[in-house]
Amino acid sequence: MITDLALSGLLDTARTARRGVGAFNVVLLEHAEAIVQGASAAGLPVVLQISENCVRYHGGLAPITSATQAIARAADVEVLVHLDHVEDPELVAEGIDLGVDSIMYDGSHLDYAANVEATRVLSERCHAAGIAIEAELGEVGGKDGVHAPGVRTDPADAAAFVAATGVDALAVAVGTSHAMQTREASVDRELIARLHDTVPVPLVLHGSSGLSDEELRGAVAAGMTKVNISTHLNGLFTRALRDVLDDRPELVDPRRYVAAGRDAVAAETARLLTLLHA
């Protein structure tokens, strides 16, 4: 447990230097092991993210979070444990009790006024515990959610939301969408630059699995700081397992094939962190 707004400090430093910080999702324990292994190889900090969907899969927050925190504490680089896309305020409270380093509260399913109020209240609770909070606007002026295709975040709306809620980082819509399995999306670099100049906190790019290396570099250069990647790594993990099982169908010990997925994620984590930091 690092806390004391550790995510805010890490992101503020990266924002000033126009460098990106990789934030990668933990689904299985092997993800946490692989991501930390990759961060260690790169010699760079990383954020381990646990989503509300992941919590549901594991039947509760504590088992996967506590194990991930143990892996983070043993690392030889800075590793933060972050709750991602949490909609349930009770889960936020549980995360605070467990001592996670940061929480992304997702109020995008609420109307704007309700989102602002809920985020403001949770921001105060997180800050009182020394925990940084990330958020997103959600529906603004009838928009269909912050990451729906074609949606873009207005810089003035974003600045007003941050002022009203006191959050430490803001997820914005600039051309990506979640769960993309091909790396062919592009970002609006001009909009990112305007958001960077207008919004006083680090910007977060969700749905980054759909971006090529060139687009990732361009997004960071334009002003993105925290870069969330999940589906891309999951694809590599799954393909590595499938290759081993196709070649050796007699295997029954999961350690013999899951390790291939872990190795693939570790290698790509190191590569992506180096790319984002350049």
Side-chain angles (χ1 to χ4, degrees), residues 190-274:
E190 180 181 351
L191 175 57
I192 293 173
R194 289 169 52 213
L195 286 162
H196 179 273
D197 291 342
T198 305
V199 179
V201 298
L203 303 175
V204 183
L205 186 63
H206 288 217
S208 306
S209 291
L211 299 179
S212 66
D213 286 0
E214 179 183 356
E215 287 291 329
L216 287 171
R217 281 193 293 261
V220 171
M224 277 293 172
T225 301
K226 180 171 175 277
V227 179
N228 291 9
I229 298 175
S230 179
T231 301
H232 172 59
L233 294 180
N234 285 336
L236 293 174
F237 186 95
T238 301
R239 287 191 291 274
L241 265 68
R242 186 175 289 122
D243 287 345
V244 173
L245 290 173
D246 285 347
D247 289 341
R248 302 189 59 189
E250 78 281 1
L251 289 178
V252 294
D253 184 344
R255 292 170 296 184
R256 304 290 296 276
Y257 50 86
V258 173
R262 184 173 59 188
D263 291 345
V265 171
E268 183 67 352
T269 293
R271 193 189 74 81
L272 288 171
L273 290 175
T274 302

Side-chain angles (χ1 to χ4, degrees), residues 24-42 44 46-50 58 63-77 79-81 233 237 241 254-255 257-270 273:
F24 306 135
N25 280 59
V26 172
V27 179
L28 307 174
L29 193 59
E30 284 80 6
H31 285 82
E33 295 169 340
I35 293 164
V36 170
Q37 181 182 335
S40 179
L44 292 169
V46 73
V47 180
L48 298 177
Q49 303 201 137
I50 299 170
H58 288 284
I64 186 65
T65 302
S66 297
T68 300
Q69 288 173 312
I71 292 169
R73 285 193 298 269
D76 58 4
V77 293
V79 180
L80 304 184
V81 178
L233 294 180
F237 186 95
L241 265 68
R255 292 170 296 184
Y257 50 86
V258 173
R262 184 173 59 188
D263 291 345
V265 171
E268 183 67 352
T269 293
L273 290 175

Side-chain angles (χ1 to χ4, degrees), residues 50-53 55-56 83-93 103-110 115 118-119 122 134 136 178:
I50 299 170
S51 72
E52 188 165 330
N53 286 335
V55 171
R56 282 196 291 269
L83 299 189
D84 186 40
H85 281 288
V86 174
E87 297 183 5
D88 183 356
E90 291 304 313
L91 197 58
V92 173
I103 297 172
M104 188 267 177
Y105 172 65
D106 184 353
S108 62
H109 57 289
L110 304 172
N115 185 9
T119 303
L122 293 176
E134 172 191 334
E136 64 182 32
H178 286 119

